[in-house]
């Protein structure tokens, strides 16, 4: 896979996020269905499983890509070196800013040549398009 500085479009980013959101909804639904069928499932188990699902994006972005990123041929990389992946903590910061700021963060994409959202700027990341 060749890494180029071909920045992802807003549409690619939205499609990727939509795929990942649908995947998470399905996981939450399946998990809640399974847990409701288990008698006496502990609250701690529910919190642990919920937290694991919430960590989907930070974990997979730091490894390589989420399923939505992969399907849309986009990757989140370090802004100063697009051959390098984000570490887990950068990915975690990016994710929590992304969900906290929502669509407001996307306004910044139109304001810079690399198409970086506010959560990308703060976390030191950039979203690039890759060739498979």
């Amino acid at each position: 896979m060749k890494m180029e500085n071909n920045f992802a479009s807003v549409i690619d980013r939205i499609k990727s996020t939509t795929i990942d959101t649908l995947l998470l909804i399905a996981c939450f639904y399946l998990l809640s269905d399974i847990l409701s069928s288990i008698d006496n499932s502990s609250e701690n188990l529910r919190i642990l499983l919920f937290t694991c699902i919430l960590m989907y994006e930070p974990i997979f972005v730091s490894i390589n890509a989420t399923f939505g990123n992969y399907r849309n041929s986009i990757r989140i990389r370090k802004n100063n070196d697009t051959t390098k992946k984000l570490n887990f903590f950068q990915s975690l910061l990016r994710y929590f800013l992304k969900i906290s700021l929502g669509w407001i963060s996307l306004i910044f994409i139109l304001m810079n040549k690399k198409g970086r959202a506010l959560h990308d700027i703060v976390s030191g990341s950039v979203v690039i398009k890759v060739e498979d």
Side-chain angles (χ1 to χ4, degrees):
M1 183 179 355
K2 185 177 159 189
M3 293 286 185
E4 293 183 10
N5 289 337
N6 185 13
F7 305 108
S9 70
V10 176
I11 297 298
D12 287 330
R13 292 171 70 133
I14 291 171
K15 287 191 308 188
S16 175
T17 299
T18 301
I19 290 169
D20 289 332
T21 301
L22 292 173
L23 180 64
L24 288 177
I25 289 169
C27 287
F28 278 124
Y29 180 78
L30 182 63
L31 186 61
S32 70
D33 203 36
I34 291 169
L35 288 174
S36 67
S37 68
I38 298 173
D39 291 335
N40 299 327
S41 62
S42 75
E43 191 67 27
N44 290 338
L45 175 63
R46 290 174 187 267
I47 292 170
L48 176 66
L49 293 173
F50 177 76
T51 303
C52 288
I53 291 174
L54 278 181
M55 291 296 102
Y56 160 77
E57 184 171 325
I59 290 169
F60 280 89
V61 164
S62 63
I63 292 171
N64 190 31
T66 65
F67 183 69
N69 295 161
Y70 179 78
R71 294 289 302 152
N72 287 286
S73 299
I74 64 174
R75 303 292 183 271
I76 291 91
R77 295 293 184 251
K78 290 188 176 189
N79 182 51
N80 58 359
D81 184 353
T82 59
T83 63
K84 294 188 177 177
K85 301 171 194 157
L86 299 184
N87 64 45
F88 177 74
F89 297 106
Q90 282 177 296
S91 183
L92 189 63
L93 172 64
R94 181 183 183 278
Y95 176 68
F96 282 111
L97 286 172
K98 179 179 166 181
I99 61 174
S100 298
L101 298 171
W103 290 95
I104 294 169
S105 187
L106 294 179
I107 294 169
F108 282 78
I109 291 174
L110 305 172
M111 296 181 189
N112 62 78
K113 64 181 180 174
K114 291 184 177 181
R116 296 172 69 203
L118 183 57
H119 54 268
D120 293 318
I121 294 167
V122 173
S123 65
S125 65
V126 66
V127 183
I128 59 172
K129 190 83 172 164
V130 295
E131 296 176 19
D132 290 327

